[in-house]
Amino acid sequence: MTSQDIHGDDSLVIAGTRYRSRLLTGTGKFKDLDETRRATEAAAAEIVTVAIRRTNIGQDPGEPNLLDVLPPDRYTILPNTAGCYTAEEAVRTLRLARELLDGRKLVKLEVLGDQKTLYPDVVQTLKAAELLVADGFDVMVYTSDDPILAKQLEEIGCVAVMPLAAPIGSGLGIQNKWSLLEIVDNAKVPIIVDAGVGTASDAAVAMELGCDGVLMNTAIAGAREPVLMAHAMKLAVEAGRAAFRAGRIPRKRYASASSPVDGLLG
Ligand SMILES: CC(=O)[C@@H](O)[C@H](O)COP(=O)(O)O
């Protein structure tokens, strides 16, 4: 393998657009907009998600605007429906986002079931996904780690499926790697782990399983040093992806010597 093979094109393709970075970041929970900017740069993220109901991207002209530090000509701004509990609320929120973002149609759908777990309401999620796809949106969809549901969302026409690793903000890391593996094995669209990552090794494991990317917010914004953690996450996603492409050795129960045993002297 040449250095060209190592560094060659391994783009993430979502709805026909190529991205070099497989780390997608959230924009909430940072100390201020400058910290959001510095962490996003350290993560080398190209897609940044924005909670439309909680973040000013122009709805409130008198307030600081996130787009001043994360300009849409440099980043793909991915509006999300955090805080929506019904399909109708989610669809309304994303139609507003489309107006605010000059008709851009790539969105992240999340319809939550309750405030304690922030698990997705899968019935409402399916309903909203159908409505949004019919309305011409490119829908990336936050969902549970259920392989059947993930396939249904793909079949509806979602452009990426985003199963959780663990509850949003929990930092628990991947709770069910077998479900994620099943989702990845069956998928024809990118699978991006969304939510529950706690530290760099969680992101690396997600990528080693074959996921196409990782979206995170709390693990970076809530770290003691958010910019340094963003850098660590960039390295972890890249390392996990390279390890997946390289192919891990099989696990064996017993030892096998690292040095050859043939032709030993004496
Ligand atoms: C930012 C976002 O869109 C959410 O889905 C969520 O916040 C990500 O989860 P973590 O905060 O656990 O990374």
Side-chain angles (χ1 to χ4, degrees):
M1 174 169 270
T2 65
S3 121
Q4 173 69 21
D5 295 324
I6 292 171
H7 300 293
D9 183 32
D10 178 42
S11 301
L12 168 65
V13 181
I14 300 175
T17 301
R18 305 182 89 78
Y19 300 93
R20 282 187 311 278
S21 172
R22 291 174 179 271
L23 173 56
L24 293 73
T25 54
T27 53
K29 299 184 179 173
F30 288 98
K31 187 176 65 183
D32 53 32
L33 287 184
D34 188 57
E35 187 176 77
T36 313
R37 177 187 62 77
R38 288 183 295 118
T40 307
E41 282 174 6
E46 294 172 289
I47 302 178
V48 291
T49 190
V50 178
I52 290 300
R53 302 180 105 195
R54 300 188 183 130
T55 312
N56 182 31
I57 59 164
Q59 310 93 309
D60 202 344
E63 291 297 312
N65 186 332
L66 181 81
L67 302 186
D68 290 339
V69 294
L70 301 179
D73 57 358
R74 176 164 171 201
Y75 294 97
T76 295
I77 306 295
L78 181 66
N80 74 58
T81 54
C84 293
Y85 288 83
T86 65
E88 288 73 23
E89 275 181 311
V91 170
R92 205 177 323 120
T93 301
L94 291 176
R95 285 183 178 146
L96 167 66
R98 184 165 57 183
E99 279 173 38
L100 290 167
L101 291 167
D102 301 326
R104 286 171 213 225
K105 51 185 195 161
L106 186 68
V107 295
K108 189 181 96 129
L109 170 65
E110 54 179 84
V111 187
L112 303 175
D114 71 32
Q115 293 189 1
K116 181 179 173 197
T117 65
L118 299 182
Y119 277 137
D121 179 324
V122 297
V123 175
Q124 293 293 310
T125 299
L126 276 167
K127 184 173 164 191
E130 274 172 340
L131 291 168
L132 290 165
V133 169
D135 199 10
F137 285 93
D138 289 333
V139 181
M140 300 174 68
V141 59
Y142 165 69
T143 181
S144 64
D145 58 9
D146 175 346
I148 308 301
L149 183 65
K151 197 67 198 169
Q152 287 173 349
L153 289 164
E154 177 187 311
E155 285 166 359
I156 283 173
C158 293
V159 298
V161 175
M162 309 177 78
L164 52 77
I168 293 172
S170 69
L172 286 172
I174 293 167
Q175 296 300 290
N176 193 340
K177 74 172 191 175
W178 304 111
S179 289
L180 285 182
L181 262 181
E182 186 63 18
I183 292 172
V184 166
D185 279 354
N186 293 333
K188 294 197 178 73
V189 295
I191 301 300
I192 296 173
V193 161
D194 175 8
V197 165
T199 190
S201 53
D202 300 330
V205 169
M207 297 307 293
E208 287 172 10
L209 289 173
C211 294
D212 298 279
V214 181
L215 188 151
M216 65 181 75
N217 190 164
T218 310
I220 294 176
R224 196 171 56 245
E225 298 283 349
V227 177
L228 187 56
M229 185 58 89
H231 175 65
M233 292 299 188
K234 169 186 181 291
L235 298 178
V237 167
E238 288 174 358
R241 176 67 183 175
F244 170 72
R245 290 174 66 210
R248 63 154 295 132
I249 60 167
R251 291 178 174 86
K252 288 192 289 196
R253 183 165 174 192
Y254 296 109
S256 61
S258 301
S259 330
V261 287
D262 293 343
L264 282 181
L265 290 178

